[in-house]
Amino acid sequence: MTSFPRLFSPLRLRNTEIRNRILSTGHQTYLAKGGLPGEDFVAYHEARAKGGAGLIVVEAARFHATGFTDSPELIVASDDCIPGLKNLADSVHRHGARIFGQLSHSGRVTKRLSGGLRGVAYAPSVVPDQRFHTMPRAMPVALIEELIAEAGKAARRFGEAGFDGIELLASHGLLISDFLNPRNNQRTDAYGGSFENRLRFLTDLLAVVRNGLGDGPVLGMRISAEEVEPGGLDKDEVIAICQALKAKRAIDYVNTTMGSMQGLGGSVHVVPPMELPHAYVAPKAGTLRAAVGLPVFVAGRINQPQIAEAVLAAGQADMCGMTRAMIADPEMPSKARTGRLDDIRACIACNQACIGHYHMGVGISCIQNPVTGRERTLGITTKSNTPRRILVAGGGPAGMKAALTAAERGHRVTLHEAGRRLGGQVLLAQLLPERSEFGGLVTNLQHELARAGVEVRLDMPVSAETVRRESPDAVIVATGGLPYRPEIEGAEDAHVLDAWAVLEGRANPGGRVLVADWRCDWVGMGLAEKLAREGRHVRLAVTGTNVGQNLQQYLRDHWVGKLHKLGVEVIPYARLFGVDSDTAYMAHLVTGEPIIANEVETVVLALGHRPDTSLEEELAPLGVPLHLAGDCLAPRSAEEAVYEGMMAGLAV
């Protein structure tokens, strides 16, 4: 019997019964091909249905040409989409899950790129957004009516494809939200002015979608409980909107989230990183649920079944969005239902390969689970016909994933780590303020290694003698990287520290610190935050255009805000070349002109890493097959390390 009675109880909406309260919310996968749900798209969602999800809401579908871009998004503006949608619905239904479509229009919150050109963005009124710097064109009434009609046709297509329902996206400051917002909707016609008029676009959309769907399927709405952006919808306005829709019997449920895509502050709530608390949106959803009296869904850092059960028990929601939890582990629902909690690969909310890939314009994945988004090519690990003895050198993410994958293929695997703990640079990353959850990457891999029967040897570096003695059939080298320290004039006479030494507490920075950040990622920003929180005066000099240049933008912007509050001084376009006892000397990246920072007691170097190739070179003469993975190839991120570790494990 499950220990999560509420989470695994069915929920009935209209004529549809959903087997449990676990929801995969609508999220862009960028797996569509030519606007259609092809094989990769279907395989991605089918994996979550097979893993036990109760309901899958497919990503925001574009239903009108004014919302099209060159991005690989789902388009439902013609009947050409029906066969692919039917295949998708059938694939999800085959495993007992339900599936809803989602209709959305970004409005002014877009660059609207097509062929490298920015197109016309439409909104209720000419009010610019604060993120993409888009100045929209006010929608003529004829265009509003055209969009409404096209939404009805799109609903019919979902219905003909066998979908169980449709959700309208009125969240995150997008087009529907803009019509609802009196600060953004400045119209004086039937679609603006009074509350009823501002509601009209949404209610007209809901009416035509209901007509296109018919009476049976479910019709709901996703909305931000608060947009948390200057001028955004507040909680009282959102409650009033939902109450009005309830009174009109226009919707069957409300799906709540947080934030807005219109600006940099509210965007972090769209996909909240590990710095934000677990289930922090749930109390706001509970307030709305009590005020409106409709079934309420909620999402926002609900990554474990225990958390979801608590949300349901508190009466804060009727269903829990656990999207990233199932991106990291599609089988999370089945594991929770059968009591295999320790086997769940918990999401660490790093946002690197889920929303991070979206912002790069590439298909979705997960740094812990390279199979995500690659289900058709990596989804089945085949056993080797000839089990072999494999030695893995290096116990960071690359080596751990390589050892795990090789063991899953049936090989006898020994993992050697030179240090006392597995984890590599993850052990450093988790030491930064509010980043301890990143260590879950190691915790998850350690459990999987034990379950797979991998022999782990700590404090045992690998050498040529080790390989001669153990005679493995192949060696996977994953020895990582070493701090890169270029020649810095005067460094021998100044207080210059490596980032690793500061993070591990092996060095004591002075009261006035300059962090030289070539990486432009989490290391420099995290060090600056850590040192500022300790009460030190901190300057962060980045060898790039801005701090966090190489980070996922929601996390970067949130972190920039924290550094600003802490009083960290940021110096962009700065390359460190010299130091003395109290000064750091830098050159402007563009002009080469000097940038001088006075009154500096300590310089902390976050200048990247160089690949550790020593073992590779030592083993090369032995003739044993070598496979390389991670930073020993080239220093990058945990995502590349885990992916390459998996590929090395598949190669042996």
Side-chain angles (χ1 to χ4, degrees):
M1 182 175 178
T2 178
S3 57
F4 306 106
R6 296 171 183 84
L7 189 60
F8 289 99
S9 64
L11 174 67
R12 191 165 192 85
L13 296 173
R14 218 172 181 89
N15 298 327
T16 298
E17 184 171 278
I18 303 168
R19 62 182 171 185
N20 60 47
R21 309 302 179 97
I22 298 174
L23 162 69
S24 176
T25 60
H27 58 286
Q28 303 303 90
T29 64
Y30 273 8
L31 295 177
K33 299 296 183 184
L36 302 176
E39 292 180 337
D40 290 338
F41 193 106
V42 172
Y44 171 84
H45 288 293
E46 184 175 8
R48 275 92 203 140
K50 184 178 180 181
L55 172 62
I56 290 172
V57 178
V58 179
E59 65 197 61
R62 310 307 182 194
F63 61 93
H64 189 271
T66 55
F68 296 175
T69 69
D70 282 345
S71 299
E73 296 174 317
L74 183 62
I75 297 174
V76 293
S78 78
D79 288 356
D80 292 344
C81 69
I82 295 175
L85 292 176
K86 186 178 188 307
N87 181 36
L88 173 60
D90 290 346
S91 298
V92 168
H93 287 152
R94 186 180 303 127
H95 301 286
R98 297 294 189 175
I99 185 167
F100 291 178
Q102 189 182 75
L103 294 176
S104 175
H105 193 296
S106 58
R108 65 191 171 120
V109 187
T110 177
K111 285 187 176 180
R112 193 90 206 288
L113 289 174
S114 181
L117 302 173
R118 291 189 72 158
V120 178
Y122 287 93
S125 304
V126 182
V127 178
D129 91 302
Q130 300 302 315
R131 179 175 165 199
F132 295 107
H133 303 276
T134 297
M135 186 65 73
R137 181 178 178 83
M139 297 177 70
V141 171
L143 180 57
I144 294 174
E145 293 172 345
E146 184 179 315
L147 256 72
I148 292 167
E150 290 300 315
K153 296 175 185 177
R156 172 186 57 80
R157 294 173 188 123
F158 277 121
E160 290 184 13
F163 276 58
D164 301 295
I166 285 181
E167 179 177 280
L168 290 188
L169 197 62
S171 61
H172 297 130
L174 303 178
L175 183 64
I176 296 174
S177 168
D178 259 358
F179 270 93
L180 298 170
N181 189 328
R183 274 81 63 195
N184 299 333
N185 182 348
Q186 300 172 1
R187 305 176 72 93
T188 57
D189 57 19
Y191 290 96
S194 69
F195 175 79
E196 190 68 23
N197 281 0
R198 286 184 278 109
L199 195 66
R200 191 181 310 279
F201 181 57
L202 175 55
T203 55
D204 286 357
L205 283 170
L206 290 167
V208 299
V209 169
R210 170 55 70 200
N211 185 60
L213 268 180
D215 288 335
V218 179
L219 178 55
M221 172 186 67
R222 193 171 202 205
I223 194 166
S224 299
E226 295 179 37
E227 291 191 343
V228 202
E229 189 68 40
L233 290 171
D234 63 33
K235 62 184 177 73
D236 293 332
E237 290 172 317
V238 173
I239 288 173
I241 290 163
C242 294
Q243 288 174 331
L245 296 176
K246 165 73 180 308
K248 295 174 182 291
R249 299 184 178 180
I251 54 175
D252 300 312
Y253 71 89
V254 178
N255 186 358
T256 56
T257 179
M258 278 276 285
S260 170
M261 299 180 192
Q262 289 183 4
L264 303 185
S267 291
V268 70
H269 301 287
V270 179
V271 186
M274 66 183 74
E275 285 85 348
L276 297 180
H278 289 102
Y280 74 104
V281 185
K284 301 176 188 299
T287 299
L288 187 145
R289 183 175 183 260
V292 176
L294 280 171
V296 167
F297 304 171
V298 68
R301 294 281 280 127
I302 304 175
N303 71 335
Q304 289 277 29
Q306 301 93 319
I307 299 172
E309 181 74 14
V311 169
L312 298 170
Q316 294 171 327
D318 300 275
M319 179 164 277
C320 290
M322 304 185 74
T323 308
R324 283 179 291 170
M326 290 183 283
I327 291 173
D329 190 346
E331 297 180 5
M332 180 276 295
S334 293
K335 291 175 180 177
R337 182 176 54 82
T338 55
R340 294 178 291 146
L341 301 184
D342 290 341
D343 292 344
I344 293 173
R345 183 188 302 114
C347 168
I348 59 174
C350 67
N351 286 359
Q352 187 170 331
C354 47
I355 189 67
H357 275 206
Y358 166 70
H359 285 145
M360 289 189 287
V362 298
I364 196 168
S365 193
C366 174
I367 71 166
Q368 298 193 81
N369 183 16
V371 174
T372 289
R374 306 180 181 97
E375 285 78 9
R376 290 198 309 120
T377 55
L378 298 180
I380 299 176
T381 301
T382 57
K383 293 286 186 180
S384 172
N385 293 325
T386 55
R388 308 164 73 196
R389 297 180 70 243
I390 308 299
L391 188 152
V392 179
M400 296 173 79
K401 188 64 175 182
L404 171 64
T405 306
E408 289 174 340
R409 296 198 64 225
H411 297 307
R412 179 184 169 189
V413 183
T414 304
L415 171 61
H416 286 243
E417 164 55 38
R420 297 180 179 180
R421 298 172 63 192
L422 295 174
Q425 290 186 53
V426 173
L427 300 179
L428 299 173
Q430 68 180 359
L431 297 176
L432 293 171
E434 300 179 319
R435 300 290 287 175
S436 62
E437 202 166 342
F438 202 84
L441 170 60
V442 174
T443 303
N444 291 334
L445 281 170
Q446 282 179 309
H447 177 77
E448 293 177 44
L449 287 172
R451 192 176 61 195
V454 172
E455 181 183 353
V456 176
R457 299 178 182 176
L458 301 177
D459 277 327
M460 293 192 68
V462 173
S463 65
E465 177 56 32
T466 309
V467 174
R468 290 191 191 97
R469 183 177 65 249
E470 299 197 11
S471 299
D473 297 301
V475 176
I476 297 174
V477 179
T479 47
L482 299 169
Y484 174 68
R485 189 161 182 172
E487 183 175 343
I488 300 171
E489 185 179 346
E492 63 279 0
D493 298 321
H495 195 211
V496 179
L497 304 174
D498 289 319
W500 288 13
V502 175
L503 283 174
E504 292 175 333
R506 294 186 283 109
N508 183 30
R512 299 181 65 83
V513 181
L514 182 134
V515 178
D517 179 16
W518 170 85
R519 293 171 53 121
C520 298
D521 65 1
W522 56 270
V523 178
M525 297 183 80
L527 280 168
E529 181 184 358
K530 169 183 166 61
L531 295 169
R533 285 180 180 273
E534 292 172 355
R536 307 175 199 272
H537 176 275
V538 180
R539 280 170 277 191
L540 177 58
V542 294
T543 313
T545 59
N546 57 276
V547 294
Q549 181 178 318
N550 293 318
L551 285 178
Q552 186 273 326
Q553 70 180 78
Y554 291 164
L555 173 59
R556 177 196 66 219
D557 295 339
H558 181 64
W559 218 331
V560 167
K562 291 195 292 181
L563 295 181
H564 178 72
K565 287 182 179 179
L566 289 168
V568 172
E569 178 187 345
V570 175
I571 308 172
Y573 294 95
R575 177 183 63 83
L576 179 73
F577 69 85
V579 294
D580 61 26
S581 60
D582 64 356
T583 307
Y585 301 93
M586 295 163 283
H588 193 279
L589 288 178
V590 178
T591 67
E593 294 181 355
I595 302 172
I596 299 175
N598 296 309
E599 298 183 45
V600 175
E601 296 178 40
T602 304
V603 173
V604 178
L605 304 180
L607 301 181
H609 303 88
R610 55 183 177 85
D612 184 354
T613 60
S614 57
L615 182 61
E616 172 193 354
E617 294 163 1
E618 183 181 352
L619 299 184
L622 300 183
V624 179
L626 296 181
H627 301 267
L628 308 181
D631 282 6
C632 68
L633 269 171
R636 288 151 295 158
S637 75
E639 180 182 1
E640 289 83 10
V642 172
Y643 174 82
E644 289 173 359
M646 181 175 190
M647 299 311 292
L650 292 173
V652 296

